[in-house]
Amino acid sequence: MSDASTLATETTAAARAVEAVKVYGSGETEVRALDGVDITFERGKFTAIMGPSGSGKSTLMHCMAALDNLTGGQAFIGDTDLSSLTDKELTMLRRDRVGFIFQAFNLVPTLNAIENITLPMDLARREPDQEWVDSVIATVGLQDRLTHRPNELSGGQQQRVAVSRALASQPEIIFADEPTGNLDSRSGNDVLKFMREAVDDLGQTIVMVTHDAKAASFADRTVFLADGLLQGEMLNPTADQILDYMKILQVGQFVKGIPEGATMEEVLEYMKDLDD
Amino acid sequence: MTLLRYSLRSIAGVKVRFALTTLAVIVGVALTVGVLISTDGLRASLNDLSGKIYEKYDFTVRAASDVGDRNEGVPLLPPELADEIASTDGVEAVAGLAQEFNVVAIDGDGNAIEPGVGRQLGFGWPESEVLSTIYVYDDGISRQPVGPDEFAIDHFTGRENGFIIGQRYDVATPGGTFDFELVGYLYFIDPETRVTLQIVAWDMPTARQLLHDGGGYDLIHGKLSPGASFEEVVAAIGGRLGPDIEVISQQENINESNQEFASNINLLRNLLLAFAVIVLIISGFITYNTFTLVMGQRIRELGLLRVLGAERRQIAQVVAVEALLVGIVATILGLGLGIGVAFGIRGALDSSGAHLPDSDLIIGGWTIVAAVVIGIGVTMVTATWPALQARRVTPMVALADDPEIDPFNRRRALIVGSAVGVVGLILLLVGLLAGLSTSQIVIPLGVGALLMLLGVNIVAPALARPMSLILGWPADRLFSINGRLARLNAARNPRRTATTASALMIGLAMVSLVTVLGTSFKQTLNDQLKDSVEADWLVCSGGCNNAEGALS
Ligand SMILES: Nc1ncnc2c1ncn2[C@@H]1O[C@H](COP(=O)(O)OP(=O)(O)O)[C@@H](O)[C@H]1O
Ligand SMILES: [Mg+2]
């Protein structure tokens, strides 16, 4: 274990998880959302995380982004072991080193777009780098929407505000949990293109959870999670390659998931569920 | 800055709720400020009065026991003493004083006149004009009573009760009821000032006969010759005074009188403040509920702020700043409204029969301090718990399906709430049934009401679910889908429902309380005035003998 961390220190990892375990509840209601995940997110790369619903993707995001604690194992941002930090230090880390984008409810409804974008820096009482903020805003095309409140913006625009906010404070890493999940495909595409540009042009590190193979195809690398465990990964995959890979994983699940002595009808029902 | 903006916009987002909350605090502040301003004014005008009363007396001779609460049994001063003092070097004039309470004139219809809020005083017309505090009312026909068959009555009482100058009336005195001819109206100190006294006066020999059974004086007031010193005169007459008799100076008279006014005014003020405190406690509940509710509604937003790097302290500050803003607004508006309340209290005093001299509007430093401490204090203190709760918001709260900080414990709420409520109820019953006096009753009633409110506040969320399901049933029937949605919505988040409901309930309680207080206000004032202010005012203005000690 200590060998592994020494080794990792020398790489350019922006964040990594070592034997990450997260258990919710206890006794009969115990859920092992993460069951020993080892993963490294490289600096300056766009990583997608895919997997079936309930596979632990969000849990992984939250624990990596210092929003929640692991039950076991370690999570690192750069070289910082999150489990060694106090509550206040975790707050500082969220504020200064990490960005986060949710699927929904990303913005403070009473603040307008620009106030939302500069909020993390305001909380840190830090002057925003105005040039940088302007260039981020220009890239997302929000110049004429800056004084609008969230409820005066479309879903796509809101999500672009959220992405701008994450970028504006230039964090070491941005975690995005299904950022396009609530958007129509055109708005989703805009947001994805924008994140891609942030990685290519600005050198930002982004980790994104998605259900959508097409979204994942924007990433440099796609990792697959199921049952709280890493199942495999692909580098620069196309959407079709991802879908094929998912099918293989699903068959694996399928075989695993059939209860012993199931009738033919039950097997068909189970397959139908998977298709949904 | 953005956080401040966030607080301001959040308040603007629930304007009506915050407006009502602020209003509740404003009322509490205004009542307190009004009470302080009006009692300060009252004190000033009474002090002004005692200055006027004792202006004429350079010294007063009295029984040494004639101090403090001035109970009965203070010995009378022999009339010869007055003559001896009068003949002392340095004394220009001397006037003995005879008076008695519960001397009642009987009007033309044969009815004893009602004391109202005042006291009924029989008085001997001082035999030295320079030392008299009563005067003939200047209406052209009034004159001073002379001889055993004439009396005068103060013009307020006389005119209110249809006493006609020149006619004969019965007057009930300690020596019996006799009839006299009314020869004039009189006034005390100032024709337009009335401190709810009803004065009936005879000439001094008649008064001494009727009131003191021919005995001496209650007090002897004296005036020094020009150039004479108080000390020399005291030294000169000292030998003639027995050990139980003392001489006090004008300043001592004024001080004693002011001191008594002060203690009576404090009594009145504390009673009025008790009302203000009740209102403030209710305001406290309302602000507490509002901040708890608003915090609960925004808990996800607060969680989002935590995700974005807000410290716990900053989240607590959001709540504290909102409380501070409410407090500042309430303080400023409460101070303004308090001046209006002060005029209202003054009006109530006047309408209860006390025509005190007008005084300037006095807004003392302490009044402003009290307004700030109360307005900002009540909101800040009641926002403390919600602010502490806000500190506990974690980033994960932003992501939770049903974000809550404290899982609600229904059983605990029921048990604790009922226990607190029952204790409150017992105290309330004790307060109501134990036959306590007005000032004693305040504590059990106040604490009892406070505990009952607290109990209901704790229990309400536990009952909200069944209640909203039961009470919502008719809505369900009548409004089909909307009613059903409302009912289920109410049942879904019992704590929010209960907080809203109890805010309404407490608001309602406040309205009824203010109404009840309003109606009982005059009565209480009257009792209070009767119990103390005029009695002592009178005692100190005329003499203190035999006054039923209002404070005893
Ligand atoms: N707060 C929680 N309490 C209990 N169980 C949870 C909680 N959050 C997630 N889970 C469970 O953990 C597992 C992983 O959840 P999640 O990380 O949200 O999956 P994903 O994002 O891949 O859909 C699921 O079985 C989910 O029900
Ligand atoms: Mg998820």
Side-chain angles (χ1 to χ4, degrees):
Chain A
M1 187 75 142
S2 65
D3 283 351
S5 57
T6 322
L7 203 79
T9 311
E10 288 152 10
T11 70
T12 56
R16 66 203 167 87
V18 180
E19 292 286 315
V21 174
K22 177 71 180 179
V23 180
Y24 291 111
S26 61
E28 280 186 19
T29 60
E30 180 182 293
V31 177
R32 289 182 83 79
L34 298 177
D35 202 7
V37 173
D38 281 297
I39 193 166
T40 300
F41 300 111
E42 278 169 60
R43 229 176 264 287
K45 287 282 185 319
F46 189 177
T47 309
I49 300 178
M50 296 195 73
S53 194
S55 58
K57 306 180 298 290
S58 295
T59 304
L60 183 62
M61 292 284 96
H62 300 155
C63 293
M64 294 300 297
L67 303 180
D68 206 352
N69 307 318
L70 284 172
T71 313
Q74 288 161 292
F76 291 87
I77 296 293
D79 293 332
T80 311
D81 181 353
L82 299 189
S83 66
S84 71
L85 299 185
T86 64
D87 183 75
K88 192 170 164 91
E89 287 166 337
L90 286 171
T91 302
M92 296 306 151
L93 180 125
R94 279 198 297 276
R95 196 168 85 176
D96 300 330
R97 298 175 64 187
V98 179
F100 209 97
I101 303 164
F102 304 127
Q103 179 176 1
F105 191 67
N106 256 322
L107 305 178
V108 178
T110 45
L111 298 179
N112 66 28
I114 185 66
E115 287 162 353
N116 265 288
I117 290 171
T118 55
L119 183 55
M121 287 160 284
D122 267 312
L123 290 172
R125 295 191 191 80
R126 183 148 48 85
E127 270 308 304
D129 178 344
Q130 201 54 52
E131 219 172 294
W132 171 256
V133 172
D134 288 344
S135 78
V136 167
I137 290 165
T139 320
V140 259
L142 280 170
Q143 300 92 315
D144 50 352
R145 291 280 181 275
L146 289 180
T147 56
H148 289 53
R149 299 260 182 108
N151 62 6
E152 298 161 347
L153 297 172
S154 72
Q157 288 167 338
Q158 287 183 39
Q159 210 57 322
R160 288 189 327 216
V161 172
V163 177
S164 307
R165 180 185 60 204
L167 284 169
S169 54
Q170 295 173 275
E172 290 172 32
I173 186 166
I174 293 173
F175 295 97
D177 193 352
E178 301 193 40
T180 58
N182 275 1
L183 304 181
D184 61 70
S185 62
R186 228 192 63 175
S187 313
N189 236 37
D190 286 347
V191 169
L192 288 164
K193 262 195 270 177
F194 177 41
M195 293 204 287
R196 183 70 248 177
E197 278 172 38
V199 174
D200 290 341
D201 304 347
L202 316 171
Q204 184 65 57
T205 308
I206 299 180
V207 179
M208 170 183 74
V209 167
T210 183
H211 261 122
D212 177 9
K214 212 167 145 273
S217 70
F218 280 78
D220 300 311
R221 172 189 175 213
T222 301
V223 300
F224 297 89
L225 205 63
D227 291 334
L229 279 168
L230 220 53
Q231 305 290 327
E233 63 170 86
M234 300 175 88
L235 289 179
N236 294 312
T238 64
D240 286 339
Q241 287 171 319
I242 292 169
L243 286 174
D244 287 342
Y245 191 88
M246 300 263 285
K247 278 191 190 122
I248 298 168
L249 281 181
Q250 273 185 9
V251 171
Q253 287 259 311
F254 176 53
V255 175
K256 267 193 260 169
I258 294 179
E260 264 180 23
T263 63
M264 194 60 196
E265 268 159 32
E266 284 171 334
V267 172
L268 284 174
E269 195 63 36
Y270 188 75
M271 287 179 69
K272 204 164 145 270
D273 280 354
L274 283 180
D275 279 341
D276 293 345
Chain B
M1 259 342 265
T2 307
L3 271 188
L4 181 63
R5 222 173 295 151
Y6 171 72
S7 290
L8 283 170
R9 300 227 182 111
S10 300
I11 290 176
V14 278
K15 271 190 224 70
V16 176
R17 191 179 288 282
F18 269 103
L20 290 175
T21 304
T22 313
L23 185 66
V25 183
I26 289 173
V27 171
V29 172
L31 275 178
T32 313
V33 165
V35 168
L36 292 179
I37 290 178
S38 61
T39 49
D40 278 351
L42 202 60
R43 187 194 320 270
S45 61
L46 287 179
N47 286 353
D48 188 41
L49 258 184
S50 58
K52 275 188 197 155
I53 294 164
Y54 292 104
E55 184 170 66
K56 291 191 163 182
Y57 312 147
D58 292 328
F59 65 91
T60 298
V61 177
R62 66 179 185 188
S65 55
D66 191 0
V67 286
D69 58 1
R70 300 168 195 279
N71 280 319
E72 280 186 54
V74 178
L76 296 176
L77 304 174
E80 308 82 65
L81 184 60
D83 300 333
E84 284 180 37
I85 294 168
S87 63
T88 310
D89 275 351
V91 176
E92 183 179 305
V94 145
L97 195 131
Q99 66 165 40
E100 192 66 54
F101 284 108
N102 299 329
V103 171
V104 185
I106 293 161
D107 69 15
D109 302 328
N111 300 318
I113 54 179
E114 290 289 327
V117 298
R119 311 221 33 190
Q120 298 171 309
L121 175 79
F123 201 69
W125 206 289
E127 290 176 312
S128 161
E129 204 177 315
V130 294
L131 286 170
S132 180
T133 49
I134 62 173
Y135 305 87
V136 173
Y137 189 64
D138 186 17
D139 56 3
I141 53 168
S142 288
R143 64 172 175 81
Q144 201 173 323
V146 179
D149 194 42
E150 296 183 356
F151 83 111
I153 192 164
D154 75 271
H155 71 103
F156 289 109
T157 309
R159 285 187 298 197
E160 274 164 17
N161 295 282
F163 281 78
I164 298 161
I165 293 167
Q167 299 205 359
R168 298 187 71 82
Y169 297 94
D170 282 346
V171 181
T173 72
T177 301
F178 306 101
D179 74 313
F180 306 91
E181 185 190 345
L182 178 64
V183 297
Y185 288 153
L186 61 85
Y187 67 86
F188 186 65
I189 300 285
D190 175 86
E192 297 317 317
T193 298
R194 182 191 198 187
V195 198
T196 63
L197 282 175
Q198 296 178 356
I199 304 175
V200 170
W202 296 269
D203 72 2
M204 187 54 79
T206 310
R208 273 173 50 208
Q209 191 57 45
L210 290 167
L211 307 177
H212 291 164
D213 197 18
Y217 299 118
D218 295 293
L219 296 172
I220 298 168
H221 294 305
K223 186 172 170 56
L224 298 174
S225 318
S229 91
F230 173 71
E231 285 75 19
E232 281 166 24
V233 170
V234 171
I237 62 179
R240 298 180 204 167
L241 302 175
D244 324 331
I245 297 175
E246 65 177 6
V247 187
I248 61 170
S249 68
Q250 181 178 61
Q251 196 53 51
E252 284 170 303
N253 256 331
I254 291 175
N255 290 349
E256 270 184 29
S257 149
N258 285 354
Q259 222 163 34
E260 285 205 34
F261 287 153
S263 73
N264 290 325
I265 288 167
N266 287 346
L267 220 69
L268 177 70
R269 191 190 60 198
N270 291 346
L271 192 82
L272 294 176
L273 281 182
F275 294 149
V277 166
I278 293 170
V279 172
L280 279 170
I281 287 170
I282 293 167
S283 322
F285 271 98
I286 294 176
T287 49
Y288 170 80
N289 280 352
T290 297
F291 286 113
T292 308
L293 188 81
V294 168
M295 209 275 292
Q297 282 174 340
R298 283 199 321 232
I299 191 166
R300 209 187 275 277
E301 276 170 55
L302 299 178
L304 178 59
L305 291 177
R306 293 280 282 137
V307 169
L308 299 176
E311 297 167 52
R312 290 177 187 277
R313 185 174 48 84
Q314 287 173 308
I315 301 296
Q317 274 170 7
V318 167
V319 178
V321 162
E322 284 166 23
L324 188 65
L325 290 172
V326 168
I328 290 172
V329 171
T331 300
I332 294 170
L333 296 184
L335 258 173
L337 192 64
I339 294 170
V341 171
F343 281 115
I345 292 176
R346 193 55 190 256
L349 272 171
D350 279 350
S351 76
S352 73
H355 294 268
L356 293 170
D358 285 337
S359 65
D360 294 336
L361 189 69
I362 300 169
I363 302 173
W366 283 112
T367 305
I368 291 169
V369 170
V372 172
V373 167
I374 287 168
I376 294 177
V378 164
T379 44
M380 294 300 282
V381 166
T382 51
T384 302
W385 178 246
L388 288 177
Q389 292 286 90
R391 270 184 74 87
R392 295 172 53 196
V393 171
T394 63
M396 290 309 289
V397 164
L399 299 155
D401 292 332
D402 195 1
E404 258 198 297
I405 307 170
D406 249 350
F408 177 62
N409 186 335
R410 186 146 175 258
R411 230 174 91 94
R412 192 183 57 192
L414 276 174
I415 294 172
V416 174
S418 319
V420 171
V422 165
V423 172
L425 185 66
I426 291 170
L427 273 174
L428 263 185
L429 291 177
V430 167
L432 289 173
L433 303 177
L436 301 170
S437 77
T438 317
S439 45
Q440 284 172 312
I441 213 168
V442 167
I443 290 168
L445 276 191
V447 177
L450 173 65
L451 289 180
M452 277 196 49
L453 277 178
L454 202 65
V456 172
N457 220 32
I458 297 171
V459 162
L463 295 180
R465 192 190 182 84
M467 289 292 276
S468 55
L469 289 178
I470 295 166
L471 294 178
W473 189 80
D476 201 352
R477 286 281 126 142
L478 285 172
F479 306 113
S480 64
I481 191 70
N482 282 341
R484 175 183 225 97
L485 284 178
R487 186 175 78 149
L488 294 178
N489 193 34
R492 196 171 59 86
N493 190 338
R495 217 169 349 174
R496 188 190 57 203
T497 306
T499 317
T500 311
S502 51
L504 276 176
M505 171 199 78
I506 287 169
L508 211 65
M510 178 147 159
V511 171
S512 4
L513 183 87
V514 168
T515 315
V516 171
L517 287 186
T519 47
S520 65
F521 185 64
K522 197 167 163 185
Q523 183 54 43
T524 313
L525 262 184
N526 290 354
D527 290 354
Q528 186 64 17
L529 282 170
K530 194 168 180 174
D531 280 359
S532 53
V533 175
E534 318 78 353
D536 286 287
W537 188 83
L538 167 78
V539 168
C540 297
S541 71
C544 305
N545 245 9
N546 302 336
E548 283 103 313
L551 293 172
S552 61

